[in-house]
Amino acid sequence: MDNTTNRWRTIDIVVASVIAVAFGVIFWAWGLVWSATEGAFAFFPPAQTLLYGIWLMPAVIGGLVIRKPGAALYCETVAAVLSALLGSQWAGTVIPQGIVQGLGAELAFAAFRYRSYRLPTAVLAGALTGLSAALFDFFVWNADYELTDYRIPYALLTIVSATVVAGAGGWLLTKALANTGALDRFPVARDRAPI
């Protein structure tokens, strides 16, 4: 990409911010869902991470919509900051966590030099943001848990959730938004299905 296509336009900042704010509110609410479902996963607590992918969606969606370096990181980080400001039960720790998660997705888009936005790239972005989330949790939240019975299954299931929900789900949501015409000022609109 040349330098002019890497520059963020005002509309890029506005739309990335809207994505981030919407997901920041979803993050806060999803924290309530997470807490409410703990008992349902008492049989195997690491399985609760199958719900994790929702928290990783703005990184993938931001990268797919904005298609510029830093978009995945920006969307995930701003969403995390807003969720902390709204009173996330995990407090300010979600901010560095959001940065780490955003970097995971950013690596996938960077690996393709910000030129591929197909389903496989989105799935890779989901998987890498899941891996980054799992690594953060491995050392920050789960350090006191048993390795083989909790931490490794937790990490693997986080990656699965992120791959399916944030990767494939984020790609499908982006396509659905593009098909409404809401993203006509973005390259993703060129991929829109004809009516």
Side-chain angles (χ1 to χ4, degrees), residues 48-167:
Q48 190 175 18
T49 63
L50 292 171
L51 304 175
Y52 207 119
I54 294 293
W55 280 310
L56 306 172
M57 288 186 81
V60 176
I61 293 170
L64 291 172
V65 171
I66 306 302
R67 298 185 176 190
K68 294 187 182 340
L73 176 61
Y74 177 86
C75 288
E76 190 72 28
T77 302
V78 172
V81 168
L82 181 60
S83 109
L85 291 173
L86 289 173
S88 164
Q89 68 251 41
W90 299 286
T93 306
V94 299
I95 297 170
Q97 187 168 18
I99 293 168
V100 169
Q101 292 165 348
L103 286 171
E106 199 70 46
L107 287 173
F109 294 114
F112 292 99
R113 299 178 61 198
Y114 299 94
R115 292 183 179 158
S116 175
Y117 300 94
R118 298 178 194 211
L119 179 59
T121 306
V123 168
L124 178 62
L128 290 179
T129 196
L131 175 62
S132 64
L135 288 172
F136 185 92
D137 291 0
F138 198 85
F139 296 106
V140 175
W141 299 115
N142 300 333
D144 294 335
Y145 289 93
E146 211 281 320
L147 183 66
T148 56
D149 290 341
Y150 189 88
R151 291 166 76 190
I152 290 175
Y154 180 104
L156 294 174
L157 291 171
T158 298
I159 295 167
V160 168
S161 177
T163 301
V164 173
V165 176

Side-chain angles (χ1 to χ4, degrees), residues 12 14 23 26-27 33 41 71 83 90 105 116 125 131 147 154 161 164 172 174 179 184:
D12 296 330
V14 170
F23 274 99
I26 291 168
F27 283 7
V33 171
F41 293 97
S83 109
W90 299 286
S116 175
L131 175 62
L147 183 66
Y154 180 104
S161 177
V164 173
L172 289 170
T174 301
N179 286 338
D184 280 351

